[in-house]
Short mmCIF file of all heavy atoms in Angstrom, two decimals:
data_model
loop_
_atom_site.label_atom_id
_atom_site.label_comp_id
_atom_site.label_asym_id
_atom_site.label_seq_id
_atom_site.Cartn_x
_atom_site.Cartn_y
_atom_site.Cartn_z
N LEU A 176 -15.32 8.08 22.05
CA LEU A 176 -15.72 8.97 20.82
C LEU A 176 -15.18 8.37 19.53
O LEU A 176 -15.84 8.08 18.62
CB LEU A 176 -15.10 10.41 21.02
CG LEU A 176 -15.30 11.41 19.95
CD1 LEU A 176 -17.00 11.66 19.77
CD2 LEU A 176 -14.63 12.56 20.15
N ALA A 177 -13.89 7.96 19.63
CA ALA A 177 -13.26 7.40 18.38
C ALA A 177 -13.91 6.07 18.06
O ALA A 177 -14.06 5.80 16.85
CB ALA A 177 -11.64 7.16 18.74
N HIS A 178 -14.12 5.17 19.03
CA HIS A 178 -14.74 3.96 18.81
C HIS A 178 -16.15 4.08 18.12
O HIS A 178 -16.57 3.56 17.16
CB HIS A 178 -14.94 3.14 19.91
CG HIS A 178 -15.54 1.81 19.90
ND1 HIS A 178 -16.96 1.61 19.88
CD2 HIS A 178 -15.15 0.56 19.50
CE1 HIS A 178 -17.28 0.40 19.69
NE2 HIS A 178 -16.12 -0.27 19.53
N ASP A 179 -16.98 5.03 18.64
CA ASP A 179 -18.42 5.23 18.09
C ASP A 179 -18.36 5.62 16.73
O ASP A 179 -19.36 5.36 15.98
CB ASP A 179 -19.13 6.09 19.07
CG ASP A 179 -19.39 5.52 20.36
OD1 ASP A 179 -19.14 4.33 20.67
OD2 ASP A 179 -19.84 6.20 21.34
N ILE A 180 -17.32 6.40 16.34
CA ILE A 180 -17.28 6.93 14.98
C ILE A 180 -16.61 5.99 14.13
O ILE A 180 -17.10 5.89 12.77
CB ILE A 180 -16.61 8.25 15.04
CG1 ILE A 180 -17.53 9.32 15.79
CG2 ILE A 180 -16.26 8.84 13.63
CD1 ILE A 180 -16.77 10.66 15.95
N THR A 181 -15.49 5.49 14.36
CA THR A 181 -14.71 4.72 13.31
C THR A 181 -14.69 3.12 13.73
O THR A 181 -14.17 2.44 12.95
CB THR A 181 -13.20 5.11 13.33
OG1 THR A 181 -12.66 4.92 14.59
CG2 THR A 181 -13.17 6.67 13.02
N GLY A 182 -15.02 2.76 14.95
CA GLY A 182 -14.85 1.44 15.45
C GLY A 182 -13.41 1.02 15.97
O GLY A 182 -13.26 -0.04 16.42
N ASP A 183 -12.54 2.06 15.87
CA ASP A 183 -11.18 1.90 16.48
C ASP A 183 -11.02 2.98 17.60
O ASP A 183 -10.92 4.20 17.39
CB ASP A 183 -10.29 2.27 15.39
CG ASP A 183 -8.86 2.25 15.85
OD1 ASP A 183 -8.47 1.73 16.92
OD2 ASP A 183 -7.88 2.55 14.93
N PRO A 184 -11.01 2.36 18.82
CA PRO A 184 -10.84 3.36 20.07
C PRO A 184 -9.52 4.13 19.99
O PRO A 184 -9.42 5.17 20.66
CB PRO A 184 -10.87 2.40 21.20
CG PRO A 184 -10.51 1.18 20.73
CD PRO A 184 -10.94 1.09 19.31
N HIS A 185 -8.60 3.72 19.18
CA HIS A 185 -7.29 4.54 19.17
C HIS A 185 -7.21 5.43 17.92
O HIS A 185 -6.04 6.09 17.66
CB HIS A 185 -6.12 3.41 19.04
CG HIS A 185 -6.00 2.56 20.23
ND1 HIS A 185 -5.65 2.97 21.48
CD2 HIS A 185 -6.29 1.16 20.32
CE1 HIS A 185 -5.64 1.87 22.30
NE2 HIS A 185 -6.09 0.90 21.68
N TYR A 186 -8.36 5.60 17.17
CA TYR A 186 -8.19 6.51 15.95
C TYR A 186 -7.74 7.81 16.26
O TYR A 186 -7.08 8.41 15.49
CB TYR A 186 -9.73 6.39 15.30
CG TYR A 186 -9.54 7.04 13.88
CD1 TYR A 186 -9.10 6.22 12.80
CD2 TYR A 186 -9.96 8.35 13.64
CE1 TYR A 186 -9.09 6.78 11.48
CE2 TYR A 186 -9.88 8.78 12.42
CZ TYR A 186 -9.45 8.04 11.32
OH TYR A 186 -9.46 8.63 10.11
N PHE A 187 -8.31 8.45 17.37
CA PHE A 187 -7.92 9.84 17.75
C PHE A 187 -6.91 9.86 18.76
O PHE A 187 -6.83 10.91 19.47
CB PHE A 187 -9.33 10.52 18.14
CG PHE A 187 -10.15 10.91 16.94
CD1 PHE A 187 -11.48 10.44 17.08
CD2 PHE A 187 -9.71 11.55 15.85
CE1 PHE A 187 -12.40 10.73 15.86
CE2 PHE A 187 -10.59 11.91 14.78
CZ PHE A 187 -11.84 11.49 14.79
N ASP A 188 -6.09 8.87 18.94
CA ASP A 188 -5.11 8.88 20.00
C ASP A 188 -4.21 10.18 19.75
O ASP A 188 -4.00 10.54 18.63
CB ASP A 188 -4.10 7.76 19.90
CG ASP A 188 -4.70 6.60 20.66
OD1 ASP A 188 -5.81 6.59 21.21
OD2 ASP A 188 -4.08 5.54 20.59
N LEU A 189 -3.86 10.95 20.87
CA LEU A 189 -3.23 12.27 20.66
C LEU A 189 -1.83 12.22 20.10
O LEU A 189 -1.30 13.22 19.81
CB LEU A 189 -3.24 12.97 22.04
CG LEU A 189 -4.62 13.22 22.50
CD1 LEU A 189 -4.63 13.89 23.90
CD2 LEU A 189 -5.48 14.07 21.57
N THR A 190 -1.26 11.05 19.95
CA THR A 190 0.08 10.91 19.32
C THR A 190 -0.14 10.48 17.86
O THR A 190 0.86 10.48 17.09
CB THR A 190 0.85 9.61 19.93
OG1 THR A 190 0.09 8.47 19.96
CG2 THR A 190 1.22 9.90 21.49
N THR A 191 -1.23 10.40 17.28
CA THR A 191 -1.49 10.28 15.82
C THR A 191 -1.80 11.46 15.10
O THR A 191 -2.23 12.45 15.71
CB THR A 191 -2.65 9.16 15.72
OG1 THR A 191 -3.75 9.74 16.10
CG2 THR A 191 -2.33 7.88 16.65
N LEU A 192 -1.77 11.39 13.77
CA LEU A 192 -2.08 12.50 12.98
C LEU A 192 -3.59 12.88 13.16
O LEU A 192 -3.90 14.08 13.21
CB LEU A 192 -1.73 12.15 11.53
CG LEU A 192 -2.12 13.42 10.50
CD1 LEU A 192 -1.26 14.75 10.91
CD2 LEU A 192 -1.72 12.93 9.16
N ASN A 193 -4.37 11.92 13.19
CA ASN A 193 -5.89 12.15 13.46
C ASN A 193 -6.16 12.81 14.74
O ASN A 193 -6.96 13.75 14.81
CB ASN A 193 -6.68 10.75 13.37
CG ASN A 193 -6.58 10.17 11.94
OD1 ASN A 193 -6.73 10.86 10.94
ND2 ASN A 193 -6.42 8.97 11.77
N GLY A 194 -5.39 12.39 15.76
CA GLY A 194 -5.56 13.09 17.06
C GLY A 194 -5.11 14.54 17.01
O GLY A 194 -5.74 15.45 17.65
N ILE A 195 -4.06 14.75 16.37
CA ILE A 195 -3.49 16.16 16.31
C ILE A 195 -4.44 16.98 15.56
O ILE A 195 -4.67 18.15 15.85
CB ILE A 195 -2.19 16.09 15.58
CG1 ILE A 195 -1.13 15.30 16.50
CG2 ILE A 195 -1.65 17.49 15.17
CD1 ILE A 195 0.25 15.03 15.83
N ARG A 196 -5.09 16.40 14.49
CA ARG A 196 -6.12 17.25 13.73
C ARG A 196 -7.33 17.53 14.57
O ARG A 196 -7.88 18.55 14.36
CB ARG A 196 -6.42 16.51 12.49
CG ARG A 196 -5.23 16.53 11.40
CD ARG A 196 -5.65 15.59 10.14
NE ARG A 196 -4.55 15.80 9.19
CZ ARG A 196 -4.49 14.95 8.19
NH1 ARG A 196 -5.30 14.01 8.00
NH2 ARG A 196 -3.48 15.28 7.26
N LEU A 197 -7.76 16.52 15.29
CA LEU A 197 -8.93 16.73 16.25
C LEU A 197 -8.58 17.99 17.10
O LEU A 197 -9.43 18.93 17.38
CB LEU A 197 -9.20 15.56 17.02
CG LEU A 197 -10.35 15.73 17.97
CD1 LEU A 197 -11.71 15.98 17.33
CD2 LEU A 197 -10.58 14.42 18.90
N VAL A 198 -7.40 18.01 17.72
CA VAL A 198 -7.01 19.01 18.67
C VAL A 198 -6.97 20.42 17.85
O VAL A 198 -7.55 21.33 18.42
CB VAL A 198 -5.74 18.71 19.33
CG1 VAL A 198 -5.08 19.90 20.20
CG2 VAL A 198 -5.77 17.61 20.30
N ALA A 199 -6.51 20.46 16.70
CA ALA A 199 -6.26 21.66 16.00
C ALA A 199 -7.81 22.10 15.59
O ALA A 199 -7.94 23.31 15.54
CB ALA A 199 -5.65 21.37 14.70
N ALA A 200 -8.64 21.18 15.33
CA ALA A 200 -10.12 21.46 14.92
C ALA A 200 -10.69 22.27 16.18
O ALA A 200 -11.40 23.26 15.95
CB ALA A 200 -10.77 20.29 14.46
N VAL A 201 -10.56 21.56 17.29
CA VAL A 201 -11.20 22.14 18.54
C VAL A 201 -10.65 23.53 18.68
O VAL A 201 -11.31 24.50 19.12
CB VAL A 201 -11.02 21.21 19.67
CG1 VAL A 201 -11.54 21.89 21.03
CG2 VAL A 201 -11.75 19.91 19.49
N ALA A 202 -9.35 23.69 18.73
CA ALA A 202 -8.75 25.07 18.95
C ALA A 202 -9.23 26.12 17.88
O ALA A 202 -9.54 27.14 18.43
CB ALA A 202 -7.14 24.80 18.89
N GLU A 203 -9.33 25.79 16.68
CA GLU A 203 -9.70 26.78 15.76
C GLU A 203 -11.20 27.00 15.76
O GLU A 203 -11.55 28.21 15.84
CB GLU A 203 -9.53 26.08 14.33
CG GLU A 203 -9.81 27.07 13.13
CD GLU A 203 -9.46 26.63 11.81
OE1 GLU A 203 -8.91 25.57 11.69
OE2 GLU A 203 -9.77 27.34 10.81
N ARG A 204 -11.97 26.03 16.18
CA ARG A 204 -13.43 26.17 16.29
C ARG A 204 -13.77 27.17 17.55
O ARG A 204 -14.70 27.92 17.54
CB ARG A 204 -14.16 24.98 16.33
CG ARG A 204 -15.65 25.06 16.65
CD ARG A 204 -16.24 23.79 16.91
NE ARG A 204 -16.79 23.18 15.59
CZ ARG A 204 -17.57 22.09 15.58
NH1 ARG A 204 -17.80 21.38 16.84
NH2 ARG A 204 -17.95 21.64 14.47
N THR A 205 -12.85 26.94 18.63
CA THR A 205 -13.20 27.80 19.79
C THR A 205 -12.35 29.06 19.83
O THR A 205 -12.42 29.79 20.88
CB THR A 205 -12.76 26.90 21.09
OG1 THR A 205 -11.43 26.48 20.96
CG2 THR A 205 -13.78 25.65 21.20
N GLY A 206 -11.67 29.30 18.74
CA GLY A 206 -10.77 30.55 18.66
C GLY A 206 -9.69 30.65 19.70
O GLY A 206 -9.30 31.71 20.14
N GLN A 207 -9.08 29.48 19.94
CA GLN A 207 -7.88 29.33 20.85
C GLN A 207 -6.70 29.11 20.10
O GLN A 207 -6.71 28.45 18.99
CB GLN A 207 -8.09 28.47 21.95
CG GLN A 207 -9.38 28.71 22.79
CD GLN A 207 -9.55 27.73 23.95
OE1 GLN A 207 -8.65 27.52 24.78
NE2 GLN A 207 -10.66 27.07 24.07
N SER A 208 -5.51 29.39 20.70
CA SER A 208 -4.21 28.85 20.07
C SER A 208 -4.17 27.42 20.39
O SER A 208 -4.53 26.91 21.38
CB SER A 208 -3.12 29.71 20.71
OG SER A 208 -3.20 31.01 20.52
N GLU A 209 -3.50 26.72 19.33
CA GLU A 209 -3.31 25.29 19.39
C GLU A 209 -2.32 25.01 20.50
O GLU A 209 -1.10 25.45 20.38
CB GLU A 209 -2.96 24.80 18.01
CG GLU A 209 -2.88 23.22 18.09
CD GLU A 209 -2.63 22.61 16.75
OE1 GLU A 209 -2.85 23.41 15.76
OE2 GLU A 209 -2.30 21.46 16.58
N PRO A 210 -2.65 24.25 21.55
CA PRO A 210 -1.61 24.03 22.59
C PRO A 210 -0.65 22.86 22.24
O PRO A 210 -0.86 22.15 21.31
CB PRO A 210 -2.38 23.55 23.81
CG PRO A 210 -3.68 22.81 23.14
CD PRO A 210 -3.87 23.65 21.96
N SER A 211 0.53 23.01 22.93
CA SER A 211 1.61 21.94 22.55
C SER A 211 1.91 21.16 23.78
O SER A 211 2.14 19.94 23.65
CB SER A 211 2.81 22.69 22.10
OG SER A 211 3.29 23.61 23.16
N ARG A 212 1.71 21.71 25.01
CA ARG A 212 1.99 20.93 26.25
C ARG A 212 0.81 19.78 26.42
O ARG A 212 -0.35 20.22 26.18
CB ARG A 212 2.02 21.88 27.45
CG ARG A 212 3.51 22.01 27.93
CD ARG A 212 3.50 22.91 29.04
NE ARG A 212 2.56 22.93 30.05
CZ ARG A 212 2.35 23.80 30.91
NH1 ARG A 212 3.11 24.95 30.86
NH2 ARG A 212 1.32 23.80 31.72
N PRO A 213 1.17 18.65 26.77
CA PRO A 213 0.04 17.67 26.79
C PRO A 213 -0.93 17.93 27.90
O PRO A 213 -2.16 17.56 27.59
CB PRO A 213 0.93 16.34 27.09
CG PRO A 213 2.25 16.81 27.71
CD PRO A 213 2.55 18.22 26.98
N ASP A 214 -0.71 18.53 28.92
CA ASP A 214 -1.71 18.87 29.94
C ASP A 214 -2.70 19.92 29.34
O ASP A 214 -3.85 19.87 29.60
CB ASP A 214 -1.11 19.40 31.25
CG ASP A 214 -0.15 20.51 31.10
OD1 ASP A 214 0.63 20.60 30.16
OD2 ASP A 214 -0.16 21.39 32.05
N LEU A 215 -2.09 20.86 28.67
CA LEU A 215 -2.97 21.87 27.94
C LEU A 215 -3.81 21.39 26.90
O LEU A 215 -5.02 21.82 26.61
CB LEU A 215 -1.98 23.12 27.44
CG LEU A 215 -1.28 23.87 28.50
CD1 LEU A 215 -0.43 24.97 27.95
CD2 LEU A 215 -2.19 24.25 29.65
N VAL A 216 -3.25 20.36 26.17
CA VAL A 216 -4.04 19.69 25.15
C VAL A 216 -5.34 19.00 25.75
O VAL A 216 -6.44 19.15 25.17
CB VAL A 216 -3.20 18.67 24.30
CG1 VAL A 216 -4.05 17.80 23.51
CG2 VAL A 216 -2.12 19.34 23.55
N ARG A 217 -5.15 18.32 26.81
CA ARG A 217 -6.22 17.55 27.52
C ARG A 217 -7.19 18.62 28.02
O ARG A 217 -8.42 18.48 28.07
CB ARG A 217 -5.70 16.63 28.44
CG ARG A 217 -5.02 15.55 27.75
CD ARG A 217 -3.93 14.82 28.62
NE ARG A 217 -3.51 13.61 27.85
CZ ARG A 217 -2.49 13.77 26.96
NH1 ARG A 217 -2.06 14.93 26.54
NH2 ARG A 217 -2.14 12.51 26.43
N ALA A 218 -6.57 19.71 28.63
CA ALA A 218 -7.46 20.80 29.20
C ALA A 218 -8.40 21.39 28.03
O ALA A 218 -9.63 21.64 28.14
CB ALA A 218 -6.71 21.86 29.85
N LEU A 219 -7.92 21.60 26.78
CA LEU A 219 -8.59 22.10 25.62
C LEU A 219 -9.76 21.18 25.38
O LEU A 219 -11.03 21.62 25.24
CB LEU A 219 -7.69 22.40 24.46
CG LEU A 219 -8.55 22.71 23.33
CD1 LEU A 219 -9.17 24.03 23.30
CD2 LEU A 219 -7.45 22.70 22.04
N LEU A 220 -9.42 19.92 25.23
CA LEU A 220 -10.51 18.92 24.90
C LEU A 220 -11.56 18.79 25.93
O LEU A 220 -12.61 18.63 25.63
CB LEU A 220 -9.75 17.58 24.68
CG LEU A 220 -8.83 17.43 23.46
CD1 LEU A 220 -8.27 15.98 23.37
CD2 LEU A 220 -9.61 17.68 22.14
N ALA A 221 -11.13 18.92 27.23
CA ALA A 221 -12.04 18.90 28.27
C ALA A 221 -13.17 20.03 28.12
O ALA A 221 -14.35 19.92 28.57
CB ALA A 221 -11.39 19.00 29.59
N THR A 222 -12.76 21.14 27.43
CA THR A 222 -13.78 22.24 27.57
C THR A 222 -14.90 21.86 26.46
O THR A 222 -15.88 22.54 26.70
CB THR A 222 -13.10 23.60 26.93
OG1 THR A 222 -12.51 23.38 25.56
CG2 THR A 222 -11.84 23.95 27.82
N VAL A 223 -14.60 20.89 25.61
CA VAL A 223 -15.70 20.47 24.69
C VAL A 223 -16.28 19.06 25.10
O VAL A 223 -16.83 18.32 24.19
CB VAL A 223 -15.35 20.60 23.26
CG1 VAL A 223 -15.08 21.93 22.89
CG2 VAL A 223 -14.10 19.64 23.11
N GLY A 224 -15.94 18.64 26.26
CA GLY A 224 -16.48 17.40 26.86
C GLY A 224 -15.76 16.11 26.44
O GLY A 224 -16.26 15.12 26.54
#
Side-chain angles (χ1 to χ4, degrees):
L176 177 68
H178 176 273
D179 290 350
I180 291 170
T181 69
D183 178 5
H185 299 291
Y186 190 82
F187 288 123
D188 279 1
L189 298 179
T190 55
T191 67
L192 180 58
N193 293 319
I195 292 170
R196 285 174 175 168
L197 176 62
V198 173
V201 172
E203 185 174 353
R204 176 184 270 190
T205 57
Q207 301 182 55
S208 298
E209 187 176 343
S211 57
R212 254 176 39 197
D214 56 323
L215 299 180
V216 168
R217 285 153 180 81
L219 172 66
L220 292 178
T222 63
V223 292

